[in-house]
């Protein structure tokens, strides 16, 4: 890890206040610190523009924003939220359901990357309530979203960091990103310099907001979704103000949504076997679907390494009530 004292290019007047002087290089990928968080250099300007008023929350029918650190189950959450919120227009059993034709990332746009490539105007065209996603921490979102004064509802998903980092490592390998050893990914999580890290601050911001106002931020854990996907779907529907009716419950709509969004079903769709997602870097659709289990880290890391990361997190999350 190479921490430089000065940025490679001088900050513009627009970014000077928000981009700190720190910069790290992880095997060719530049990360720059924006208000305490590590963001891809190529995303930083867009993220700052988004925060400074580029992303305007809709007032009357609020937006729904899915938030996560990468490899926490974002793709699954996108599918579940989309299928739940669109179920009247698209019953989950319909053969031409969008999730049978499109990758979940094409159903729910990632605002950070749209701002990064200057395609954020697309967000204006989304029907209300807009369903969008972000990998940014709460404090890097527009002020009215961060402070809760807008009508935006946030659904956050977090995951055991050991499994998440193993997933990051596999994802990079499957997409031919510059070689990063598991040890390097591990260290970047432990020392806080991974993308959108420090991970503990990322999780804590959403956790605290969820405790302060559970009607505004729904906090989910990947492992709990794995255990009780149906309960998650009900929770999610209730949270966005679209609870399942008795008729829907009797018709097993919840089970249909869970089935539609299952790893097996999504992975088997032609679009997810062959497609490519272009987020400045190109990612194959199939790389988003791997094992989808809890505890895979044991196949890659020693118990000692696992305990070490757990102890760092235990320390950082101490007193917050959040355990992962
Ligand atoms: P693994 O690599 O551990 O298998 P993200 O969507 O945030 O990029 O996270 C990807 C992780 O979520 C991968 O974890 C992937 O297999 C898992 N995943 C993707 N779709 C899933 C689904 N429908 N159900 C459960 N897990 C899923």
């Amino acid at each position: 890890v190479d921490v430089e004292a000065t940025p490679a290019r001088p900050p513009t007047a627009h970014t000077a206040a928000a981009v700190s002087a720190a910069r790290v290089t992880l095997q060719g990928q530049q990360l720059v610190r924006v208000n305490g968080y590590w963001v891809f250099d190529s995303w930083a300007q867009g993220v700052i523009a988004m925060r400074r008023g580029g992303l305007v929350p809709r007032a009357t029918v609020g937006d729904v924003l899915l938030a996560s650190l990468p490899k926490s189950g974002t793709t699954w959450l996108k599918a579940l939220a989309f299928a739940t919120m669109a179920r009247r227009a698209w019953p989950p059993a319909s053969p031409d359901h969008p999730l049978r034709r499109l990758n979940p990332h094409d159903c729910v746009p990632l605002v950070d990357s749209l701002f990064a490539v200057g395609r954020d105007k697309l967000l204006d065209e989304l029907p209300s309530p807009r369903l969008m996603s972000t990998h940014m921490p709460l404090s890097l979102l527009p002020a009215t979203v961060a402070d809760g004064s807008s009508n935006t509802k946030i659904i956050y998903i977090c995951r055991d960091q050991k499994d998440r980092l193993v997933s990051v490592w596999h994802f990079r390998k499957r997409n031919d990103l510059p070689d990063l050893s598991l040890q390097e990914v591990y260290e970047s999580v432990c020392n806080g310099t991974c993308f959108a890290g420090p991970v503990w601050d990322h999780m804590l911001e959403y956790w605290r907001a969820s405790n302060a106002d559970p009607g505004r931020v729904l906090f989910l854990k990947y492992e709990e979704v794995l255990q009780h996907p149906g309960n998650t779907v009900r929770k999610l529907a209730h949270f966005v103000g679209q609870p399942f009716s008795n008729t829907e419950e009797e018709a097993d709509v919840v089970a249909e949504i869970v089935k539609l969004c299952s790893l097996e079903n999504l992975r088997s769709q032609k679009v997810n076997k062959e497609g490519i997602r272009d987020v400045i870097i190109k990612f194959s659709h199939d790389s988003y679907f791997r094992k989808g289990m809890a505890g895979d880290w044991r196949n890659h890391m020693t118990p000692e390494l696992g305990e070490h990361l757990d102890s760092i997190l235990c320390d950082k999350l101490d007193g917050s009530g959040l355990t992962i």
Side-chain angles (χ1 to χ4, degrees), residues 68-80 104-105 135 157 159 163-164 166-168 170-171 174 222 225-226 258 260-267 277 286-294 296:
S68 61
L69 286 159
K71 305 299 129 200
S72 301
T74 319
T75 316
W76 194 14
L77 178 61
K78 283 187 179 190
L80 290 170
H105 294 283
H135 286 316
I157 188 161
R159 187 181 189 186
D163 283 335
R164 193 185 76 79
V166 165
S167 184
V168 168
H170 278 289
F171 185 74
R174 280 173 75 168
Y222 179 83
V225 186
L226 272 179
V258 169
L260 172 68
C261 301
S262 69
L263 185 68
E264 297 67 34
N265 184 59
L266 293 179
R267 190 178 14 219
R277 179 172 178 231
D286 78 313
S287 65
Y288 287 91
F289 309 98
R290 199 180 62 92
K291 284 194 178 175
M293 59 179 279
D296 187 40

Side-chain angles (χ1 to χ4, degrees), residues 57 138 141-154 209 213 216-217:
L138 189 59
L141 298 179
T144 59
V145 178
D147 68 15
S149 58
S150 75
N151 217 357
T152 306
K153 284 185 177 264
I154 298 171
D213 188 352
R216 179 169 87 90
V217 182

Side-chain angles (χ1 to χ4, degrees), residues 212-224:
D213 188 352
R216 179 169 87 90
V217 182
L218 175 65
F219 196 95
L220 301 174
K221 295 181 180 176
Y222 179 83
E223 296 73 19
E224 290 175 359

Side-chain angles (χ1 to χ4, degrees), residues 16-317:
V19 180
S20 84
R23 175 175 288 268
V24 294
T25 305
L26 273 180
Q27 292 286 323
Q29 266 189 302
Q30 291 271 311
L31 295 176
V32 61
R33 201 163 60 191
V34 182
N35 281 3
Y37 286 93
W38 295 100
V39 178
F40 294 130
D41 192 14
S42 52
W43 283 25
Q45 306 274 346
V47 166
I48 292 163
M50 170 174 86
R51 186 166 68 99
R52 293 188 172 176
L55 179 62
V56 183
R58 286 201 183 145
T60 326
V61 185
D63 299 317
V64 176
L65 194 57
L66 311 179
S68 61
L69 286 159
K71 305 299 129 200
S72 301
T74 319
T75 316
W76 194 14
L77 178 61
K78 283 187 179 190
L80 290 170
F82 178 83
T84 301
M85 290 174 64
R87 68 188 189 270
R88 303 227 159 86
W90 295 104
S94 59
D96 57 344
H97 193 284
L99 287 168
R100 295 195 170 89
R101 293 179 277 117
L102 300 168
N103 178 265
H105 294 283
D106 290 325
C107 297
V108 184
L110 178 66
V111 293
D112 325 339
S113 66
L114 286 181
F115 274 92
V117 297
R119 294 179 61 211
D120 46 282
K121 287 283 163 276
L122 286 176
L123 298 171
D124 298 340
E125 291 160 25
L126 293 180
S128 290
R130 287 187 299 186
L131 179 59
M132 306 176 287
S133 81
T134 183
H135 286 316
M136 291 300 108
L138 189 59
S139 58
L140 283 186
L141 298 179
T144 59
V145 178
D147 68 15
S149 58
S150 75
N151 217 357
T152 306
K153 284 185 177 264
I154 298 171
I155 305 174
Y156 185 76
I157 188 161
C158 77
R159 187 181 189 186
D160 181 325
Q161 292 301 308
K162 304 184 291 305
D163 283 335
R164 193 185 76 79
L165 77 87
V166 165
S167 184
V168 168
W169 179 62
H170 278 289
F171 185 74
R172 292 181 60 95
K173 283 202 300 177
R174 280 173 75 168
N175 286 294
D176 288 331
L177 291 178
D179 199 25
L180 204 58
S181 68
L182 184 60
Q183 181 68 25
E184 286 171 295
V185 179
Y186 176 86
E187 283 170 13
S188 74
V189 174
C190 289
N191 67 25
T193 55
C194 62
F195 170 71
V199 298
W200 43 87
D201 288 336
H202 198 285
M203 294 186 287
L204 277 176
E205 285 189 2
Y206 287 103
W207 173 250
R208 289 189 178 123
S210 168
N211 283 334
D213 188 352
R216 179 169 87 90
V217 182
L218 175 65
F219 196 95
L220 301 174
K221 295 181 180 176
Y222 179 83
E223 296 73 19
E224 290 175 359
V225 186
L226 272 179
Q227 275 190 319
H228 306 290
N231 285 355
T232 302
V233 169
R234 286 190 187 89
K235 221 190 263 185
L236 211 148
H238 184 264
F239 179 75
V240 298
Q242 301 176 16
F244 290 93
S245 64
N246 290 340
T247 317
E248 285 181 309
E249 285 288 1
E250 279 158 22
D252 265 347
V253 176
V254 173
E256 291 287 355
I257 290 176
V258 169
K259 196 165 128 199
L260 172 68
C261 301
S262 69
L263 185 68
E264 297 67 34
N265 184 59
L266 293 179
R267 190 178 14 219
S268 70
Q269 303 304 319
K270 190 167 181 279
V271 65
N272 293 326
K273 285 183 183 166
E274 298 170 357
I276 296 278
R277 179 172 178 231
D278 193 348
V279 195
I280 305 184
I281 305 166
K282 288 190 169 60
F283 300 116
S284 72
H285 284 171
D286 78 313
S287 65
Y288 287 91
F289 309 98
R290 199 180 62 92
K291 284 194 178 175
M293 59 179 279
D296 187 40
W297 67 272
R298 290 194 177 82
N299 297 317
H300 300 278
M301 283 158 53
T302 62
E304 291 73 30
L305 279 181
E307 278 165 26
H308 178 64
L309 176 50
D310 284 347
S311 72
I312 291 175
L313 286 167
C314 195
D315 195 32
K316 299 286 186 187
L317 304 179

